[in-house]
Amino acid sequence: MIETMTATTLSESAQTSRRAWWFPVARLAVPLIVLAACVKVWSPITRPPGGVPRVGPAGVAIQTSRAAGPPGTGVSTLKVHLNNRQLWILNSWHEDTSARQLTGVGDLYGIDRLMIRSDSARVSFDSIALLEAYGSRQKTSFGLGLLSVWTVAAGVTTGGCLADPKSCFGSCPTFYVAGDTGIVHAEGFSGSPLRVLEERDVDHLFRLDPPAGPFVITMRNEALETHAVRQVRLHLVDRPFNGRVFQASDGTFRPATQIAAPTHCASASGDCRERVRVLDEAEWSSRTDSTDLGAREQIALSFAAPDLGIDRTRPATIGLVIGGRNTLVSTFLFYQALAFAGSRAGEMLAAIERGTKADLPPVFGVLREMATIRVQVSQGDGPWQSVGPYSEAGPIATDVRVLPIALSPGAGPIRVRLDLAQGFWRLNQIAMARLGDPVIPTTLEPLSVDHVVTSTINPTSGVAINPLAVLNDAEHHLVTYPGDEYALHFTLPAREKNAARELFLESTGYYYEWMRQEWLPEENAAKAAQLLYAPATALKALAPLFKAREAGMDSVFWRSRVGRVRP
């Protein structure tokens, strides 16, 4: 369970009463409310671009480990949340990456958020749970050893986000092929909005089959986020004749032939066969329930056994191919949680970072469940059997995977039942295929990495950093800021004449979302705690709010990419 921020407890009678959903809500809300009354609060800088002073709130010039940015950039204070739950609020600081420590001058607060002393600070990187900075633009990079959560002013927020700050573009690094800016081929580690959630993500570059020779992947940070990228590499697999290769639910790569579209596809909104027949621009999706964002729905599909070309007298392994991505429900919920946390978002995130994945609040489990499609299969007139879930986090790029199914001899047509969160999914392809044995891919590391576009929000990003060396060092992360763009150069090996192959992009890392000034008026400790600890109740309460903006969210989302508009 998430750590509380003070020693404040509820009354004895409250503790011994029924432990309904409101108990953990109060457990978190009371410390948050008390916190607001006993700690000096720094407000975010709200100056137009070019008008932010380069001094801290007490008139102390900001010192950083990097050269100062252009006029108008600056950060007023830095909150350093420690693993022991104490808090430094620094007015000046210096990041010493060689000694792995942060030094500065400021105030130290205890776990009750009462000030202990004003003094110079010397803090080891290893003792820091989270950094929280306030300002309209970033001046210090925190690039090699540290990463921070930011509160930004309206002057930095992109135009589309001003129209609807809950529809802002984001969730991960985006990957393009150099020279092709129209298609996002992959989004990396979308389910990792915290350091404790860092993960390895493998995305199928389904539309690509480039020739041998130089091959360049462009990695962009197009959101108001800080990305920490540990590794990026490619996996290559030869395709079978008239077939494809898919990543299976167990992480292996499986050749697939006799790929067949469904003969029947039915959903609550009608016939869905044409929408999922092949991977193209047409996607199937539905609208959310107006009273509960946690409501679920079903899709029923059928596949004719003869289409698979299988000898039905012997057992065989087939696979259900699913290509999909999320709608903006998860994006909205994540942003709404930060809005409810408001000025206490840093405390909330720091408390989560001090724990492990096992300590995450219930909302993370609910979001994982919403990002999972439960799959059942029936052969002929046989019983329904679960064959494993399809899981995917992220609303930007479609990812295609296969779920292996053991086919019994003599079975008739194959029926499939998908159980999924209503309005949460965009499905592009659903197919059945005959699977071969797993194959071992060829893995390629980047040969060089160029920082081709520098963030205008943080012009010092990437200064004096060798991005290839950082990506090749498993102990460090390449840190990128809004607007940063890197070109990763690979050389694809020669292949046999007329042979085709599959490409898979592996990325490992995590990211931090930046707080938006437009969210701060919604700060509500009780609602933040409800969303964290009683998400089923919160999903019902938030359904009308999402429904009111559902139709127009996609347009705002794509238009709010930092420095870009959708072609």
Side-chain angles (χ1 to χ4, degrees):
M1 181 165 288
I2 188 171
E3 296 180 65
T4 54
M5 286 61 140
T6 75
T8 305
T9 59
L10 300 176
S11 66
E12 182 177 351
S13 61
Q15 292 179 22
T16 56
S17 64
R18 66 187 188 280
R19 302 274 175 130
W21 67 263
W22 51 263
F23 183 80
V25 171
R27 185 170 179 262
L28 183 62
V30 169
L32 285 172
I33 294 168
V34 172
L35 190 66
C38 66
V39 68
K40 178 168 55 178
V41 177
W42 298 113
S43 298
I45 298 171
T46 54
R47 305 282 200 279
V52 178
R54 289 192 181 192
V55 296
V60 180
I62 297 175
Q63 305 294 323
T64 74
S65 60
R66 301 214 174 268
T73 62
V75 178
S76 58
T77 60
L78 179 68
K79 287 186 176 182
V80 185
H81 299 269
L82 304 180
N83 287 326
N84 65 4
R85 294 195 292 166
Q86 291 184 337
L87 171 70
W88 277 102
I89 298 182
L90 301 180
N91 301 318
S92 62
W93 59 88
H94 176 86
E95 179 187 1
D96 187 341
T97 55
S98 59
R100 292 186 54 78
Q101 66 180 10
L102 187 70
T103 59
V105 176
D107 301 325
L108 177 64
Y109 293 85
I111 63 174
D112 54 5
R113 293 304 179 256
L114 297 177
M115 192 171 75
I116 298 174
R117 66 179 185 273
S118 294
D119 202 351
S120 59
R122 187 177 300 274
V123 184
S124 166
F125 286 0
D126 294 335
S127 68
I128 298 174
L130 188 78
L131 294 178
E132 183 182 5
Y134 286 80
S136 68
R137 288 198 177 192
Q138 180 170 353
K139 188 171 83 169
T140 180
S141 74
F142 302 109
L144 291 178
L146 302 173
L147 210 62
S148 59
V149 177
W150 286 86
T151 296
V152 300
V156 173
T157 303
T158 57
C161 287
L162 290 175
D164 183 359
K166 302 293 174 51
S167 302
C168 297
F169 187 87
S171 85
C172 56
T174 46
F175 294 92
Y176 299 78
V177 174
D180 180 5
T181 61
I183 299 176
V184 184
H185 287 278
E187 52 181 312
F189 47 85
S190 295
S192 304
L194 293 165
R195 181 177 55 184
V196 72
L197 293 173
E198 180 173 354
E199 68 176 12
R200 170 182 174 269
D201 186 22
V202 178
D203 294 280
H204 193 170
L205 304 182
F206 189 87
R207 295 179 171 90
L208 298 178
D209 181 22
F215 180 68
V216 181
I217 289 285
T218 298
M219 179 178 71
R220 293 191 174 114
N221 184 334
E222 301 182 284
L224 293 178
E225 299 169 352
T226 305
H227 297 165
V229 186
R230 187 185 295 273
Q231 188 176 57
V232 179
R233 55 184 184 171
L234 288 176
H235 301 291
L236 279 66
V237 184
D238 291 334
R239 293 182 189 173
F241 179 70
N242 285 337
R244 302 296 301 255
V245 179
F246 301 107
Q247 184 187 21
S249 52
D250 61 1
T252 60
F253 297 93
R254 304 291 293 265
T257 56
Q258 303 293 333
I259 300 172
T263 57
H264 172 78
C265 180
S267 68
S269 57
D271 190 341
C272 47
R273 184 175 181 274
E274 287 302 312
R275 292 279 175 174
V276 301
R277 188 174 56 85
V278 294
L279 196 147
D280 53 19
E281 294 302 313
E283 298 174 309
W284 174 89
S285 64
S286 64
R287 294 297 189 186
T288 56
D289 185 273
S290 60
T291 62
D292 185 5
L293 289 178
R296 300 189 71 87
E297 62 184 330
Q298 289 192 343
I299 298 177
L301 304 104
S302 297
F303 296 86
D307 291 345
L308 301 176
I310 295 174
D311 181 357
R312 303 309 300 275
T313 64
R314 295 185 298 174
T317 300
I318 59 174
L320 181 68
V321 179
I322 301 178
R325 62 189 177 109
N326 302 161
T327 62
L328 296 179
V329 174
S330 58
T331 301
F332 166 80
L333 290 173
F334 184 38
Y335 291 169
Q336 189 63 64
L338 291 174
F340 285 154
S343 63
R344 302 297 162 218
E347 293 282 359
M348 179 186 74
L349 296 175
I352 295 173
E353 288 286 25
R354 293 185 187 104
T356 66
K357 289 183 179 180
D359 303 316
L360 292 172
V363 68
F364 286 92
V366 169
L367 287 174
R368 281 194 297 268
E369 177 68 12
M370 294 175 74
T372 298
I373 300 177
R374 305 171 193 153
V375 181
Q376 291 184 312
V377 172
S378 173
Q379 302 176 34
D381 296 325
W384 290 99
Q385 297 181 329
S386 296
V387 296
Y390 169 89
S391 298
E392 173 64 16
I396 298 172
T398 296
D399 196 20
V400 186
R401 283 192 297 279
V402 66
L403 304 178
I405 302 168
L407 188 65
S408 302
I414 300 167
R415 296 178 294 152
V416 174
R417 189 161 60 196
L418 306 182
D419 180 85
L420 59 162
Q422 182 176 334
F424 193 90
W425 288 95
R426 292 185 173 98
L427 299 178
N428 199 304
Q429 183 180 27
I430 305 176
M432 197 69 72
R434 183 174 186 175
L435 295 187
D437 294 331
V439 294
I440 305 299
T442 298
T443 300
L444 302 179
E445 308 284 349
L447 300 176
S448 63
V449 181
D450 299 326
H451 192 184
V452 295
V453 177
T454 299
S455 169
T456 58
I457 294 177
N458 176 28
T460 64
S461 67
V463 174
I465 290 194
N466 181 340
L468 179 64
V470 175
L471 288 177
N472 285 339
D473 184 349
E475 298 302 315
H476 292 87
H477 295 82
L478 177 62
V479 179
T480 75
Y481 297 95
D484 275 332
E485 179 178 317
Y486 286 84
L488 289 77
H489 298 262
F490 299 85
T491 297
L492 303 184
R495 57 185 180 180
E496 295 183 11
K497 185 178 180 180
N498 298 325
R501 59 188 165 197
E502 305 283 359
L503 269 67
F504 299 86
L505 180 77
E506 176 188 336
S507 58
T508 304
Y510 65 97
Y511 65 96
Y512 283 128
E513 191 74 38
W514 289 18
M515 178 65 75
R516 317 292 202 267
Q517 185 192 24
E518 293 78 13
W519 295 345
L520 296 180
E522 296 184 60
E523 182 172 345
N524 187 308
K527 288 184 178 180
Q530 182 189 64
L531 187 53
L532 286 173
Y533 286 101
T537 301
L539 291 177
K540 292 181 174 65
L542 290 172
L545 187 60
F546 179 82
K547 199 68 178 177
R549 56 174 30 100
E550 184 174 21
M553 288 187 73
D554 278 317
S555 175
V556 174
F557 183 80
W558 287 102
R559 285 190 289 110
S560 63
R561 285 189 286 180
V562 173
R564 289 174 48 79
V565 295
R566 192 177 192 182

